């Protein structure tokens, strides 16, 4: 099967197409023929060596996918060949490939009302927004939620999930993206290049997809007992913002994705009922993985980037 791999750390140019043996599923595993695979900031951070989660290359990147079950490793599997599924993979055996081998617990039935390209954009960014707002913040009707980077992968899902739960949603994004976000249900929008977001009305929940100085500044927007959730991941020292939050009686959570089948099913249900719409800005062939990384690294993506084998 064809894969995109790398043999050294570095820029997008280190990514290269190669042939690899098609794996055989063992007990509790499924082999999925990949129809689409999403691109996330984690991909270029690993490729470049910014984070070293998987040791030294070679490895195959790609953390999310949608496709069709090709083989199962157990006769009593909950899946059958031909089932349409979406899910997450873990490098060094990632989903930037024609097939991916994953545990059964890493896949769920694909929402029936979207195609594979849009389903492949869900597992990482969608689950991040879902777990942060639903499982951690427990957003409720009438609350006010501020989403930083609202037009990005996690952000555009967070706007919709918060709205589906009855919240009043404010997002930060450049003015050129405001119409897009209004279409997703955002109530208020702030162009962070011209307006200080700390001057807006106070909120109950802040979802921070930017980090840097956004954390300490965001604390000034929170109501008493409010919560700030940072979803950026590794590579940022958040000690100061955590201490500041605690000193002011606020909650601060440094969030890391922990995919579960139950949350995948919840996310799929929201899509099927029409409350959540994945937005894909670019669809590129798998061979253009380097270009996809360049786009992702620019930080100017509206929604998601997806590769198709």
């Amino acid at each position: 099967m064809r894969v995109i791999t790398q043999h050294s750390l570095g820029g997008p140019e280190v990514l290269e197409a190669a042939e690899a043996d098609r794996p055989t599923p063992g007990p509790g595993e499924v082999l999925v023929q990949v129809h689409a695979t999403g691109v996330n900031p984690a991909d270029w951070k690993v490729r470049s060596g910014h984070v070293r989660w998987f040791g030294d290359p070679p490895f195959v990147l790609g953390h999310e996918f949608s496709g069709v079950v090709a083989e199962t490793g157990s006769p009593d599997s909950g899946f059958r060949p031909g089932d349409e599924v979406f899910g997450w993979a873990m490098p060094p055996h990632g989903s930037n490939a024609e097939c991916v081998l994953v545990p059964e617990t890493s896949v769920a039935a694909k929402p029936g009302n979207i195609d594979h390209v849009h389903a492949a954009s869900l597992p990482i960014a969608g689950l991040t927004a879902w777990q942060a707002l639903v499982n951690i913040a427990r957003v409720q009707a009438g609350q006010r939620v501020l989403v930083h980077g609202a037009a990005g992968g996690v952000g555009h899902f967070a706007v919709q999930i918060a709205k589906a739960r009855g919240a009043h949603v404010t997002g930060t994004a450049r003015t050129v993206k405001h119409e897009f976000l209004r279409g997703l249900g955002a109530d208020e929008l702030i162009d962070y290049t011209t307006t200080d977001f700390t001057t807006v009305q106070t909120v109950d929940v802040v979802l921070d997809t930017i980090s840097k100085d956004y954390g300490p500044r965001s604390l000034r927007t929170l109501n008493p007992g409010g919560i700030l959730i940072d979803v950026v991941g590794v590579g940022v020292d958040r000690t100061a913002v955590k201490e500041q939050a605690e000193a002011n009686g606020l909650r601060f959570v440094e969030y890391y994705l922990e995919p579960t089948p139950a949350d995948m099913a919840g996310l799929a249900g929201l899509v099927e009922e029409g409350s959540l719409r994945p937005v894909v800005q670019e669809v590129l062939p798998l061979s253009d993985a380097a270009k996809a990384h360049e786009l992702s690294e620019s930080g100017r993506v509206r929604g998601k980037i997806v590769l198709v084998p």
Side-chain angles (χ1 to χ4, degrees), residues 106-181:
S106 293
V107 296
K110 181 183 78 64
N113 59 335
I114 58 174
D115 59 20
H116 286 291
V117 165
H118 289 84
S121 74
L122 280 168
I124 301 302
L127 275 183
T128 295
W130 172 277
Q131 292 184 338
L133 296 177
V134 177
N135 297 356
I136 297 174
R138 301 190 181 279
V139 171
Q140 300 176 20
Q143 287 190 312
R144 301 181 72 91
V145 176
L146 172 60
V147 179
H148 290 310
V154 174
H156 90 285
F157 286 126
V159 167
Q160 297 176 79
I161 291 170
K163 285 299 296 181
R165 296 181 71 80
H168 180 281
V169 181
T170 301
T172 61
R174 293 175 181 265
T175 299
V176 69
K177 298 178 180 178
H178 286 189
E179 183 178 354
F180 163 67
L181 288 165

Side-chain angles (χ1 to χ4, degrees), residues 46-306:
V46 173
R47 182 214 73 223
S48 65
H50 180 72
V51 295
R52 300 294 297 271
W53 292 333
F54 310 115
D56 294 325
F59 39 61
V60 174
L61 297 176
H63 291 79
E64 60 186 352
F65 61 89
S66 182
V68 174
V69 173
E71 296 180 51
T72 63
S74 304
D76 57 350
S77 170
F79 298 94
R80 293 290 180 266
D83 286 350
E84 292 189 325
V85 296
F86 73 127
W88 64 94
M90 187 61 68
H93 306 294
S95 56
N96 287 353
E98 291 181 319
C99 292
V100 64
L101 181 66
V102 293
E104 285 190 23
T105 53
S106 293
V107 296
K110 181 183 78 64
N113 59 335
I114 58 174
D115 59 20
H116 286 291
V117 165
H118 289 84
S121 74
L122 280 168
I124 301 302
L127 275 183
T128 295
W130 172 277
Q131 292 184 338
L133 296 177
V134 177
N135 297 356
I136 297 174
R138 301 190 181 279
V139 171
Q140 300 176 20
Q143 287 190 312
R144 301 181 72 91
V145 176
L146 172 60
V147 179
H148 290 310
V154 174
H156 90 285
F157 286 126
V159 167
Q160 297 176 79
I161 291 170
K163 285 299 296 181
R165 296 181 71 80
H168 180 281
V169 181
T170 301
T172 61
R174 293 175 181 265
T175 299
V176 69
K177 298 178 180 178
H178 286 189
E179 183 178 354
F180 163 67
L181 288 165
R182 288 190 186 95
L184 297 181
D187 298 290
E188 294 182 55
L189 294 161
I190 302 168
D191 187 332
Y192 61 90
T193 67
T194 61
T195 304
D196 181 358
F197 67 79
T198 65
T199 63
V200 303
Q201 187 173 356
T202 54
V203 298
D204 303 295
V205 179
V206 177
L207 184 69
D208 183 6
T209 71
I210 308 295
S211 208
K212 300 179 182 177
D213 69 335
Y214 272 60
R217 294 170 62 204
S218 294
L219 293 178
R220 304 205 296 269
T221 72
L222 283 170
N223 290 321
I227 181 171
L228 165 62
I229 306 174
D230 184 317
V231 301
V232 173
V234 298
V236 180
D237 185 354
R238 303 172 182 83
T239 304
V241 67
K242 182 177 182 180
E243 293 175 349
Q244 185 179 345
E246 292 175 350
N248 288 282
L250 302 169
R251 294 173 62 201
F252 172 74
V253 175
E254 188 175 344
Y255 165 86
Y256 295 96
L257 178 65
E258 295 183 5
T260 69
D263 286 340
M264 288 280 284
L267 195 65
L270 209 57
V271 173
E272 290 180 326
E273 72 180 36
S275 299
L276 185 63
R277 175 170 62 89
V279 175
V280 176
Q281 174 180 305
E282 293 280 349
V283 181
L284 298 168
L286 186 62
S287 57
D288 280 350
K291 180 179 178 181
H293 278 225
E294 290 174 359
L295 288 170
S296 178
E297 203 163 350
S298 74
R300 294 287 178 259
V301 178
R302 181 180 301 183
K304 293 293 296 287
I305 303 167
V306 173

